[in-house]
Amino acid sequence: MPRERPNVLVTGTPGVGKTSFCEALAEATGFTHLEVSKMVREKRLYREWDDEMDCSIFDEEMVGDALEPLLEPGGNLVDFHSSSFVDESWFDLVVVLRADTATLYDRLERRHYPETKVKQNVEAEIFQTCLEEVHEVFSETDVKILELQHDSQEHMEAALDQVQQFIKCFPG
């Protein structure tokens, strides 16, 4: 059964502004913001812990099983850094947020990430890891992919406008 409202995946390297973008978009649209990293922590959707990076290694199957029923009705903003495990039928739009590496570095340092974690995430942004992952999952589907810069308030407002336009024109 087709959805009346689209599901939007908002992805990108940690620190590009996925959560702040989704919060603003949820407020503007009334969509539900599903912050997957928070779900992973709160529902313990992981089986391993990385001591060096001080983070969980999420379990793809557990996360997928938790997300799927929430996405059925549509009207969701899914905020996560990984798209490799998702079913492409869950989404109608994928937004890949990008940030300048200097901006990203500063944001991650403000989060007090260990230096190795900061460098790993900045390198992931340089090598477009999240963008390439999205293309691997969605390139042969009808799901629209938007790559949007998110370094400033002006970038955020322009990105919000683009996504709201997609939502407004969604055929559901």
Side-chain angles (χ1 to χ4, degrees), residues 35-50:
E35 189 178 348
V36 177
S37 59
K38 187 176 182 179
M39 288 174 63
V40 168
R41 279 190 312 274
E42 291 176 355
K43 297 182 181 207
R44 301 186 62 81
L45 303 176
Y46 60 90
R47 298 186 202 276
E48 296 179 59
W49 188 264
D50 183 331

Side-chain angles (χ1 to χ4, degrees), residues 86-128:
V86 303
D87 185 312
E88 65 269 7
S89 69
W90 295 348
F91 298 101
D92 305 287
L93 174 65
V94 177
V95 176
V96 182
L97 293 179
R98 304 294 311 276
D100 176 79
T101 54
T103 301
L104 182 61
Y105 191 94
D106 291 344
R107 289 176 182 170
L108 295 173
E109 274 199 324
R110 282 196 302 272
R111 291 182 181 182
H112 305 290
Y113 278 16
E115 186 65 25
T116 54
K117 192 171 181 177
V118 171
K119 286 182 179 178
Q120 183 181 50
N121 285 309
V122 169
E123 286 174 6
E125 184 67 6
I126 291 167
F127 292 115
Q128 302 181 0

Side-chain angles (χ1 to χ4, degrees), residues 5-9 31-34 70-78 91:
R5 299 183 307 163
N7 285 321
V8 179
L9 173 62
F31 277 38
T32 301
H33 176 199
L34 300 173
L70 299 174
L71 297 175
E72 272 181 35
N76 294 287
L77 307 170
V78 176
F91 298 101

